């Protein structure tokens, strides 16, 4: 069975959007932040140098930064790692938490529109990016990988801290209730 180049390109675009929004082997960003208890947004889990809000703000900032890098020559580089994380002393209000989540979702919509633009060559880097390896395809894959990595981290840290709702339905098995907040002797 042969596939046309246009069809292959569409499959790649659809796969990128799927990886950004859903993924096959990880929870989504929305799953990770769902019903997050507001009294825990500024908590630092044990042996972690940042708060829950720092973590999602880092994911939001990195996605925004990579999108700006792809969008044009006006991109202004930031300093790694200092500019990629809120200051260690930064505390968020409930509104800032919601603003971070909303800004992440807004930029995710922008990334999806960027990927779906059929006039965009996913496979060739623009003249204004730093390296020819920084194609739109590679950069969007990095976005998806980064968000998945930290989304999993957020999920595990929530589990460690007992911050999931007791009746939460597991992301992968629609019929199985997650029992991570139950004492070890009662888990299946």
């Amino acid at each position: 069975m042969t596939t046309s180049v246009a069809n292959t390109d569409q499959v790649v675009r659809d796969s990128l959007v799927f990886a950004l929004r859903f993924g096959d082997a990880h929870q989504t960003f929305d799953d990770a932040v769902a019903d997050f208890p507001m009294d825990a947004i500024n908590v630092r889990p044990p042996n972690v140098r940042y708060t829950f809000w720092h973590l999602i703000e880092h994911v939001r900032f990195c996605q925004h930064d990579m999108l700006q890098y792809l969008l044009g020559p006006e991109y202004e580089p930031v300093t790694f790692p200092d500019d990629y994380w809120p200051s260690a002393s930064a505390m968020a209000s409930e509104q800032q938490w919601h603003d971070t989540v909303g800004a992440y979702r807004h930029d995710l919509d922008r990334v999806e529109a960027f990927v779906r633009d059929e006039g965009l060559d996913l496979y060739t880097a623009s003249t204004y990016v730093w390296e020819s390896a920084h194609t739109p395809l590679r950069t969007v894959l990095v976005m998806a990988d980064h968000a998945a990595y930290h989304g999993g981290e957020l999920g595990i840290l929530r589990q460690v801290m007992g911050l999931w709702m007791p009746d939460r339905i597991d992301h992968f098995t629609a019929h199985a209730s997650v029992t991570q907040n139950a004492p070890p002797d009662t888990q299946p």
Side-chain angles (χ1 to χ4, degrees):
M1 176 178 180
T2 59
T3 309
S4 72
V5 172
N7 189 37
T8 300
D9 185 67
Q10 188 58 52
V11 168
V12 170
R13 290 173 193 278
D14 291 345
S15 295
L16 281 173
V17 170
F18 186 83
L20 286 163
R21 292 217 176 258
F22 307 106
D24 284 316
H26 59 83
Q27 66 184 351
T28 66
F29 178 82
D30 285 338
D31 290 340
V33 299
D35 300 314
F36 196 90
M38 291 296 105
D39 61 344
I41 63 176
N42 293 305
V43 168
R44 280 182 175 78
N47 302 311
V48 176
R49 296 184 321 238
Y50 42 84
T51 69
F52 286 99
W53 175 72
H54 290 161
L55 183 57
I56 69 163
E57 176 58 16
H58 167 71
V59 174
R60 182 215 60 82
F61 181 88
C62 291
Q63 177 180 257
H64 181 79
D65 182 62
M66 285 185 269
L67 177 60
Q68 293 308 112
Y69 177 65
L70 285 174
L71 289 178
E74 294 83 30
Y75 172 74
E76 302 218 6
V78 294
T79 303
F80 181 83
D82 299 337
D83 293 335
Y84 287 83
W85 286 90
S87 73
S89 62
M91 302 293 269
S93 66
E94 185 173 334
Q95 185 59 52
Q96 285 171 302
W97 173 274
H98 293 298
D99 289 348
T100 294
V101 170
Y104 175 86
R105 290 173 179 153
H106 173 75
D107 279 343
L108 184 58
D109 290 342
R110 292 176 63 212
V111 173
E112 180 175 349
F114 176 80
V115 167
R116 292 203 183 278
D117 177 359
E118 293 179 9
L120 170 70
D121 179 354
L122 288 172
Y123 316 102
T124 304
S126 295
T127 57
Y128 50 79
V129 299
W130 302 334
E131 295 181 26
S132 62
H134 294 178
T135 65
L137 174 63
R138 178 178 179 262
T139 305
V140 172
L141 285 171
V142 170
M143 285 182 203
D145 191 40
H146 184 258
Y149 172 85
H150 285 302
E153 178 185 20
L154 179 60
I156 289 169
L157 290 174
R158 282 187 77 168
Q159 184 170 340
V160 166
M161 297 297 292
L163 298 176
W164 287 112
M165 300 301 287
D167 58 347
R168 176 177 166 259
I169 302 299
D170 185 87
H171 174 74
F172 296 107
T173 54
H175 303 294
S177 292
V178 174
T179 58
Q180 71 270 14
N181 292 331
D185 58 347
T186 63
Q187 292 183 6

